């Protein structure tokens, strides 16, 4: 490293030059690290550059650059990671909060499997680690890839970072040829405290909790930084496999341990809900002394053949549940109630609190849901919190449950200030002044300003560029806000005319802090990349109320092309006519969603914004939902009578997975009636209508599992 003056001896001008140089060197080192096999400088030199940069910034805070390298430490740099598609999706878990939920879980599992209450059924119980999940892929015993969960289907490639974690073996012996090990990356309490002390000493940001520290450390573009962070890993599950690990969950975990993974020592096999709850209490009693954060206990059906039969709902397995610990609570003063206006025009009240620590995290804001919640009643008008309303100046009880935004549970009337008046919920939008109205049956008051409301416009733009929508690299929430402020981008269509409006000079963008020629050019290229967009993403991006990713895909695969979708939505009228009938006949599209879409297309301003946008796009058609390759795909099936080789729930889930529609009653549209012993009126009706009636064995033969 070049000879440098001590920071204390620098003049302002020298400090400025030094910060410029350091920013360049650090950026170059980051680039070198990711594009070449060998980084340009050693980790120690890299750290020294960053330390000097931080020290100069601490002495001359006014000189801190907009693109300061210190800001980049610990911040997740999501853009930089390659995407990885998981062969086997990474799912989440359903939550249980009450004791009764555990018995319900056991009941549901038994019912699905057709087991009596007395039949033996084993579960495993183990701590739910509060970290972030990671999938490790081993091929022929070698670690070839590590990926974060991401959205469950696609994660980020963090292989180099994972290799720096001591608990993660890079070579396995005796493992299946293909093995994906899944588990949780976490940071122990002691390591977390030491890391925060180091960060503070270096003038860098400290982390709110061990989970954020673990996530921030794993998701570093510079694996050198990850290596310096004390991360750990517990294995608790698996993804793709060439050979089974064992017959049971507990056996599979033991196998992972024998391969060299850390598995949680508090994992135990339990013979029913009582034993599960005993173990839950045992783990809860040890929670404070474990040395790492856990937020509940996970129960899993032990027998893997039964796990396979139970299968999955859309994003969670039927064979597992997370029994969460109760939320953490604290009392503090409510200093103000602010109203935020969201993408769907909802006025959301936010509590501004005197900062208070709740379960180790400083909380200064909490959601107040809606005006009824503040007034102490639920959506039906029945009292909540004993009817106690919430007023500015009140002492309120704040709680956090898992990852969710803090909430307010209660209010202490004995400490209410004399002058605290009832809170008057605004009836005009605080951002644009338009009327804010509450429709019958809606618990939320909404701004009627539509796109003239800056709050809605910005939130809709943020949604438009979000990951599941247009996902434009370099154009995130922050940039959208700044561009909106400057008047450069007011509607989605404006994004696609940015380049033309800036001309080749790019002068204005270049003059903006943080934007150079290169980054501006990258942004325009990223925007151009998205001029071709799949129909489902476009529909989702429009941000219509009630239209989520799943329903956008349903609409796209039904109408296939933008032209067909647009024509149908333009022609449709709420509640009447063939277009409405077609729309609401789509499986998964109800009246509420359909009304929202049809109304959007009828509103002049919305319509103009949509047309202006689509003029810049080439919308890719979406093929009809990949037809499931089975003999029963597209058929309508009814089950009746007693099924002997599977339960009704299982039969239904399996039929649906194969693309069949399961109906409750026989009609002329029914293709098969599967009748077990004891079939009554349905069999008679089927005979009358000429519907094919088959028994359970014939059904199993038909679906290929006889
Ligand atoms: S099993 C198919 N076991 O909790 C189910 N998950 O809320 C796979 N987690 O995404 C998950 N400890 O990140 C499982 N012992 C444990 C866990 C655990 C923590 C996390 C995991 C998962 C999330 C679901």
């Amino acid at each position: 490293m070049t000879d440098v003056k001590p920071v204390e001896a620098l003049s302002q001008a020298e400090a400025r030059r030094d910060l410029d140089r350091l920013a360049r060197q650090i950026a170059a080192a980051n680039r070198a690290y990711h594009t070449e096999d060998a980084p340009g400088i050693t980790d120690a030199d890299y750290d020294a550059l960053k330390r000097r940069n931080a020290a100069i910034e601490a002495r001359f805070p006014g000189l801190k650059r907009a693109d300061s390298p210190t800001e980049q430490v610990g911040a997740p740099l999501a853009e930089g990671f390659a995407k990885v598609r998981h062969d086997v999706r990474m799912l989440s878990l359903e939550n249980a909060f009450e004791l009764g939920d555990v018995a319900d879980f056991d009941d549901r599992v038994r019912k699905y499997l057709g087991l009596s209450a007395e039949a033996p059924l084993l579960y495993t119980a183990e701590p739910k680690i509060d970290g972030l999940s990671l999938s490790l892929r081993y091929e022929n015993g070698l670690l070839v890839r590590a990926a974060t969960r991401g959205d469950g289907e696609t994660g980020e490639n963090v292989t180099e970072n994972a290799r720096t974690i001591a608990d993660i073996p890079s070579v396995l012996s005796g493992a299946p040829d293909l093995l994906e090990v899944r588990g949780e990356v976490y940071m122990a309490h002691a390591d977390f405290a030491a890391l925060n002390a180091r960060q503070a000493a270096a003038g860098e940001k400290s982390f709110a909790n061990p989970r954020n520290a673990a996530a921030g450390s794993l998701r570093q573009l510079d694996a050198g930084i990850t290596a310096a962070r004390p991360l750990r890993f517990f294995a608790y599950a698996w993804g793709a496999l060439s050979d089974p690990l064992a017959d049971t969950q507990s056996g599979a975990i033991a196998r992972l341990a024998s391969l060299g993974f850390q598995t949680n020592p508090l994992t135990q096999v339990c013979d029913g809900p009582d034993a599960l709850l005993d173990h839950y209490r045992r783990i809860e009693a040890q929670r404070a002394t474990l040395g790492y954060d856990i937020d509940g206990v996970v129960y899993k059906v032990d027998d893997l053949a039964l796990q396979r039969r139970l299968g999955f709902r859309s994003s969670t397995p039927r064979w597992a549940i997370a029994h969460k610990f109760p939320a953490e609570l604290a009392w503090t003063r409510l200093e103000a109630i602010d109203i935020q206006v969201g993408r769907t025009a909802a006025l959301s009240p936010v509590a501004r609190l005197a900062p208070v620590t709740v379960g180790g995290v400083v909380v200064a804001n909490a959601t107040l849901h809606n005006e009824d919640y503040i007034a102490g009643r639920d959506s039906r008008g029945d009292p909540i919190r004993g009817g106690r309303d919430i007023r500015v100046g009140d002492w309120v009880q704040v709680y956090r449950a898992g990852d969710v935004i803090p909430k307010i549970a209660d209010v202490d009337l004995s400490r209410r200030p004399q002058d605290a008046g009832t809170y008057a919920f605004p009836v005009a939008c605080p951002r644009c002044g338009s009327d804010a109205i509450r429709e019958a049956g809606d618990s939320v008051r909404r701004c009627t300003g539509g796109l003239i409301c800056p709050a809605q416009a910005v939130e809709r733009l943020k949604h438009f560029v979000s990951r599941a929508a247009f996902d434009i690299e370099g154009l995130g929430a922050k940039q959208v806000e700044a561009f909106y402020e400057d008047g450069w981008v007011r509607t989605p269509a404006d994004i696609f005319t940015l380049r033309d409006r800036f001309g080749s000079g790019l002068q204005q963008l270049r003059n903006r802090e943080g934007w150079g020629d290169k980054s501006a050019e990258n942004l325009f290229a990223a925007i151009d990349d998205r001029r071709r967009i799949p129909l489902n993403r476009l529909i989702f991006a429009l941000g219509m109320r009630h239209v989520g990713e799943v329903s956008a895909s349903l609409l796209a695969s039904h109408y296939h092309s933008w032209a067909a979708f647009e024509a149908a939505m333009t022609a449709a009228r709420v509640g009447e006519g063939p277009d409405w009938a077609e729309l609401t006949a789509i499986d998964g599209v109800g009246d509420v969603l359909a009304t929202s879409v049809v109304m959007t297309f009828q509103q002049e301003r919305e319509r103009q914004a949509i047309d202006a946008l689509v003029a810049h796009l080439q919308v890719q058609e979406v093929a009809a939902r990949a037809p499931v390759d089975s003999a029963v795909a597209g058929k309508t099936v009814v089950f009746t009578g007693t099924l002997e080789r599977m339960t009704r729930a299982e039969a239904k889930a399996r039929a649906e997975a194969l693309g069949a529609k399961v109906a409750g009653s026989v009609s002329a549209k029914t293709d098969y009636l599967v009748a077990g012993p004891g079939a009554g009126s349905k069999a008679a009706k089927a005979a009358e209508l000429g519907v094919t009636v088959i028994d359970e064995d014939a059904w199993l033969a038909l679906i290929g599992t006889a």
Side-chain angles (χ1 to χ4, degrees), residues 344-380:
T344 60
L347 268 52
S348 307
V350 179
R352 304 295 180 201
L353 306 165
V356 63
T357 306
V358 187
V361 176
V362 178
V363 169
N365 305 304
T367 172
L368 285 165
H369 305 289
N370 54 50
E371 57 191 287
D372 286 340
Y373 191 81
I374 298 175
R377 48 176 188 255
D378 66 15
S379 57
R380 288 191 309 265

Side-chain angles (χ1 to χ4, degrees), residues 91-93 126-129 133 149 184 236 298 300 317 319:
L91 298 165
S92 55
L93 293 169
E126 69 201 71
K128 182 169 188 297
I129 316 297
S133 47
R149 180 168 106 171
E184 203 84 353
Y236 52 64
V298 183
K300 301 172 183 169
W319 43 263

Side-chain angles (χ1 to χ4, degrees), residues 104-116 121 309-310 646-650:
D104 289 350
F105 166 63
D106 179 58
D107 280 351
R108 274 200 311 276
V109 167
R110 286 176 185 276
K111 203 153 161 204
Y112 193 94
L113 295 171
L115 296 177
S116 70
L121 179 58
R309 277 181 63 193
L310 285 155
M646 57 192 164
T647 62
R648 198 61 81 71
E650 198 177 350

Side-chain angles (χ1 to χ4, degrees), residues 335-408:
E335 299 192 320
I337 297 177
D338 283 351
I339 301 289
Q340 287 178 349
V341 184
R343 167 171 69 84
T344 60
L347 268 52
S348 307
V350 179
R352 304 295 180 201
L353 306 165
V356 63
T357 306
V358 187
V361 176
V362 178
V363 169
N365 305 304
T367 172
L368 285 165
H369 305 289
N370 54 50
E371 57 191 287
D372 286 340
Y373 191 81
I374 298 175
R377 48 176 188 255
D378 66 15
S379 57
R380 288 191 309 265
D382 295 331
I384 50 172
R385 295 186 302 271
R388 291 183 288 283
D389 69 330
I390 294 173
R391 303 184 184 184
V392 173
D394 271 339
W395 280 84
V396 290
Q397 190 184 43
V398 185
Y399 71 102
R400 287 192 326 127
D403 208 5
V404 294
I405 309 164
K407 297 190 173 117
I408 292 194

